[in-house]
């Protein structure tokens, strides 16, 4: 029953460590003492993390005067708990478990830091005679990085031309933490318009859950004679897990070029000169230029040709 309770407590402690970063250290010591330490592979500055320790006496002899001494040489991690753990005795088949919470200091350097653990125990031979103390040194590597990563991925056409519409799609992913009060804004010069909104909000964006927005971009009506780049920015503002307001930006250069005689839009509409033929909606109907209008133009041209031929 005690062993089950220890496992339950440690499981709750391990939940505080994101699964994607969790590492487990296992080692067997003299006399069938099995040690398991769970710790994060990487942590961020000013965030807390947990170290979970489980020690089991699976041997047939008792152990006494057991101790754990934790320290980190460069003081990158601080704790309000006791870094020295003392256990008077572990009889055969008994267990001990605990969790220590640490915080990464704001001035910790990015890179690998080590949390050192000095473990000692005394084996009681035949459960009657204490043996000399045995010591084991353990070093746990933990990567410290500065800020949570917010990725912005934007999908646009390779180039655009005047008097048309193009799809602008942006996806936001928070790779390390949940963020809240998220606002996504698309900022463009005055000659570029959007059909619909250019600002989007979401109250909560969970870690590794993508949030996508799609807008239809409308290019200037007046045609251009030389290609040039239009600066478009995607601005993402949010509140992080420390209740600090942050902003991320991405610059998206769009190439505006002269329109060629025939162009196919991203929704498979077709420009032929100054005429636009949109995709079929129903049989016999073309959006933009009705089929009857096209047929009428063709008949008129044929009649004009016939009239000219008769006059000659």
């Amino acid at each position: 029953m005690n062993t089950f309770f220890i496992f339950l407590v440690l499981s709750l402690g391990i939940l505080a460590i994101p699964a994607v970063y969790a590492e487990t250290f296992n080692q067997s010591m003299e006399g069938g003492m099995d040690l398991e330490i769970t710790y994060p592979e990487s942590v961020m500055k000013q965030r807390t993390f947990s170290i979970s320790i489980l020690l089991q006496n699976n041997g047939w002899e008792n152990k006494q005067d057991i101790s754990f001494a934790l320290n980190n040489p460069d003081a990158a991690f601080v704790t309000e708990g006791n870094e020295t753990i003392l256990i008077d005795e572990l009889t055969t088949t008994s267990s001990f478990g605990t969790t220590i919470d640490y915080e990464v200091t704001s001035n910790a350097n990015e890179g690998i830091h080590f949390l050192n653990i000095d473990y000692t125990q005394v084996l009681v031979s035949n459960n009657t005679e204490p043996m000399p103390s045995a010591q084991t040194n353990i070093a746990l590597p933990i990567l410290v990085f500065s800020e949570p990563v917010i990725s912005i991925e934007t999908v646009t056409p390779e180039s655009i031309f005047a008097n048309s519409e193009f799809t602008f799609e942006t996806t936001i992913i928070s790779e390390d933490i949940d963020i809240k009060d998220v606002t996504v804004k698309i900022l463009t010069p005055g000659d570029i318009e959007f059909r619909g909104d250019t600002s989007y909000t979401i109250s909560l964006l969970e870690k590794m859950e993508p949030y996508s927005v799609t807008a239809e971009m409308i290019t200037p009506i007046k045609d251009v004679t030389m290609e040039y780049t239009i600066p478009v920015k995607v601005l993402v503002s949010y509140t992080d897990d420390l209740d600090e307001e942050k902003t991320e930006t991405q610059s998206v250069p769009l190439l505006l070029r002269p329109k060629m005689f025939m162009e196919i839009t991203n929704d498979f509409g077709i420009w032929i000169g100054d005429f636009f033929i949109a995709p079929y909606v129903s049989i016999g109907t073309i959006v933009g230029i009705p089929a009857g209008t096209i047929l009428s133009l063709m008949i008129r041209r044929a009649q004009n040709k016939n009239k000219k031929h008769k006059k000659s």
Side-chain angles (χ1 to χ4, degrees):
M1 182 67 181
N2 289 338
T3 302
F4 173 76
F5 177 75
I6 292 172
F7 272 116
L8 179 61
V9 172
L10 286 177
S11 297
L12 293 174
I14 291 170
L15 288 177
I17 303 174
V20 68
Y21 297 135
E23 291 286 332
T24 301
F25 172 87
N26 292 284
Q27 185 163 330
S28 294
M29 262 79 70
E30 180 186 16
M33 290 289 276
D34 294 326
L35 175 64
E36 179 178 289
I37 303 174
T38 303
Y39 65 98
E41 177 188 7
S42 59
V43 292
M44 287 180 289
K45 291 183 180 181
Q46 296 181 276
R47 270 70 173 185
T48 59
F49 66 93
S50 298
I51 302 293
S52 296
I53 298 174
L54 174 62
L55 182 65
Q56 295 179 290
N57 185 1
N58 292 320
W60 61 275
E61 295 169 305
N62 298 339
K63 315 298 184 301
Q64 66 184 31
D65 299 330
I66 303 166
S67 67
F68 293 89
L70 290 79
N71 69 88
N72 59 110
D74 50 8
F77 315 129
V78 295
T79 180
E80 295 181 357
N82 192 345
E83 291 187 291
T84 300
I85 302 168
L86 301 177
I87 308 168
D88 292 334
E89 183 181 38
L90 277 183
T91 58
T92 182
T93 71
S94 61
S95 303
F96 171 85
T98 189
T99 299
I100 303 175
D101 295 328
Y102 283 91
E103 181 178 340
V104 185
T105 60
S106 59
N107 58 354
N109 294 326
E110 293 187 55
I112 297 291
H113 296 259
F114 287 92
L115 185 64
N116 298 326
I117 302 176
D118 295 329
Y119 171 82
T120 59
Q121 69 172 34
V122 172
L123 183 148
V124 182
S125 179
N126 296 317
N127 292 331
T128 58
E129 182 181 354
M131 302 297 289
S133 175
Q135 182 173 348
T136 301
N137 299 317
I138 301 166
L140 305 178
I142 301 176
L143 173 65
V144 173
F145 59 100
S146 180
E147 295 290 339
V149 176
I150 308 297
S151 65
I152 305 173
E153 181 179 343
T154 301
V155 178
T156 63
E158 292 183 2
S159 61
I160 58 177
F161 49 86
N163 195 22
S164 192
E165 294 188 16
F166 298 91
T167 300
F168 190 98
E169 182 177 350
T170 296
T171 300
I172 314 299
I173 299 178
S174 177
E175 298 184 6
D176 303 300
I177 59 172
D178 295 346
I179 56 178
K180 57 187 179 181
D181 302 329
V182 182
T183 300
V184 181
K185 292 183 179 180
I186 304 172
L187 307 177
T188 62
D191 54 350
I192 296 292
E193 297 181 1
F194 277 86
R195 187 182 304 281
D197 295 331
T198 56
S199 179
Y200 305 83
T201 59
I202 181 174
S203 59
L204 175 66
L205 181 59
E206 296 181 348
K207 183 180 70 174
M208 294 306 295
E209 287 292 328
Y211 174 62
S212 298
V213 298
T214 302
E216 293 298 320
M217 182 172 51
I218 305 172
T219 54
I221 296 177
K222 186 178 179 180
D223 203 358
V224 296
T225 57
M226 296 181 61
E227 65 180 35
Y228 63 93
T229 300
I230 297 177
V232 179
K233 280 189 176 182
V234 177
L235 187 147
V236 179
S237 58
Y238 62 93
T239 303
D240 66 11
D241 57 336
L242 300 178
D243 286 332
E244 295 181 357
E245 296 182 356
K246 300 290 181 66
T247 300
E248 302 287 342
T249 60
Q250 182 190 55
S251 296
V252 185
L254 295 177
L255 180 64
L256 181 64
R257 58 171 175 79
K259 185 169 60 178
M260 295 184 289
F261 177 74
M262 178 178 287
E263 296 276 8
I264 300 177
T265 63
N266 60 338
D267 58 355
F268 301 105
I270 301 174
W271 278 100
I272 302 176
D274 293 331
F275 291 96
F276 178 68
I277 303 175
Y280 284 101
V281 174
S282 61
I283 298 175
T285 302
I286 299 179
V287 178
I289 304 177
T293 303
I294 295 174
L295 182 59
S296 173
L297 289 172
M298 293 174 65
I299 292 173
R300 287 183 182 178
R301 288 183 179 180
Q303 288 176 346
N304 289 336
K305 286 182 179 180
N306 290 335
K307 288 178 182 179
K308 290 179 181 179
H309 180 73
K310 290 177 182 179
K311 287 181 180 178
S312 60

